[in-house]
């Protein structure tokens, strides 16, 4: 069943692989912006091309070339990844459904992440490295029909959605609302307005930067 009520944060299958919706811009034909969890590459598609999946305990998937299994029985420790499946942020927090964050400190009632969000223990599932016994792999909707089911998890792939001149990105930083446009590209070095130079891989890291639009699309 196709998903037409696409919202930010949903896990969806697109071209048989697991992605996360990070924004929806209804005015465009390709209105859904996705991040493929396997390698954090960015993709554009329409709502009719995706199918929703609700992650649950025991699911395992590849995130940024590493395999994790979701667990609700273990509390997170410093340095662990967590998947926020039941978000209930306070007014000073900035997180939403299915965001993946790294734990900075642990307190009795919850954790503080490196994005300075306070997240209660019941709001997340812990991402345990590796596949646990009897885990349910979800990185492919149909593993038998995937051309990449033998994927090399150690090799990044950024060949589908690359930065281009005119792209506007927003830095994910609570202390500022920095936005900048790509003004030049040399190899894997991206030059942003304001004199900032950044490597391509870092700009494509959805935990650090968010693609907003290209000025040619305005």
């Amino acid at each position: 069943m196709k998903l037409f009520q696409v919202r930010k944060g949903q896990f969806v299958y697109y071209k048989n692989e697991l992605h996360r919706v990070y924004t929806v811009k209804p005015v465009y034909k390709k209105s859904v912006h996705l991040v493929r969890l396997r390698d954090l590459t960015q993709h554009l598609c329409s709502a009719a091309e995706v199918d929703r999946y609700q992650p649950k305990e025991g699911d395992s998937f590849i995130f940024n070339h590493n395999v994790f299994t979701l667990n609700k029985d273990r509390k997170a420790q410093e340095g662990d990844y967590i998947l926020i499946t039941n978000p209930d942020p306070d007014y000073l927090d900035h997180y939403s459904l299915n965001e993946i964050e790294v734990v900075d400190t642990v307190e009795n009632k919850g954790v503080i992440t490196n994005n300075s969000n306070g997240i209660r223990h019941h709001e997340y599932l812990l991402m345990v490295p590796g596949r646990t016994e009897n885990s349910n792999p979800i990185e492919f909707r149909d593993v038998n029909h995937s051309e990449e089911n033998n994927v090399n998890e150690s090799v990044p792939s950024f060949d589908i959605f690359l930065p281009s001149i005119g792209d506007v990105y927003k830095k994910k930083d609570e202390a500022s609302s920095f936005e900048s446009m790509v003004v030049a590209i040399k190899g894997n070095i991206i030059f942003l307005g304001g004199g900032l130079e950044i490597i391509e891989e870092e700009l494509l890291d959805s935990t650090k930067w968010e693609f907003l639009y290209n000025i040619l699309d305005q």
Side-chain angles (χ1 to χ4, degrees), residues 50-181:
V50 299
D51 293 284
R52 184 183 180 187
Y53 182 80
Q54 180 67 41
K56 58 184 181 300
E57 184 192 19
D59 287 345
S60 62
F61 59 94
I62 301 172
F63 171 69
N64 196 17
H65 310 285
N66 294 286
V67 178
F68 296 90
T69 300
L70 298 178
N71 182 290
K72 71 175 183 181
D73 295 326
R74 288 172 50 186
K75 291 184 179 179
Q77 302 296 318
E78 293 180 10
D80 283 341
Y81 283 93
I82 59 172
L83 175 68
I84 303 170
T85 53
N86 186 32
D88 183 22
D90 294 331
Y91 66 96
L92 289 178
D93 293 318
H94 301 279
Y95 59 89
S96 58
L97 179 67
N98 291 336
E99 287 198 26
I100 294 174
E101 299 206 5
V102 179
V103 174
D104 184 61
T105 58
V106 181
E107 300 180 352
N108 289 334
K109 294 185 178 180
V111 299
I112 307 297
T113 69
N114 58 2
N115 288 332
S116 300
N117 287 315
I119 302 171
R120 301 170 188 84
H121 290 304
H122 70 272
E123 295 181 76
Y124 66 81
L125 292 174
L126 177 64
M127 294 171 57
V128 178
R131 296 193 198 276
T132 60
E133 188 176 1
N134 299 321
S135 68
N136 175 40
I138 63 171
E139 58 265 29
F140 298 111
R141 183 180 184 186
D142 185 350
V143 69
N144 294 321
H145 291 83
S146 171
E147 296 178 353
E148 297 186 83
N149 53 8
N150 294 319
V151 59
N152 184 346
E153 299 169 14
S154 64
V155 180
S157 175
F158 297 101
D159 57 347
I160 295 180
F161 189 99
L162 298 175
S164 59
I165 295 175
D167 285 348
V168 177
Y169 285 81
K170 179 180 180 181
K171 187 175 179 59
K172 291 188 172 180
D173 185 348
E174 291 186 0
S176 70
S177 57
F178 181 75
E179 296 180 9
S180 187
M181 185 177 73

Side-chain angles (χ1 to χ4, degrees), residues 188-201:
N188 70 334
I189 303 298
I190 310 299
F191 298 85
L192 299 174
L196 180 62
E197 299 180 18
I198 187 172
I199 62 173
E200 181 182 89
E201 184 176 356

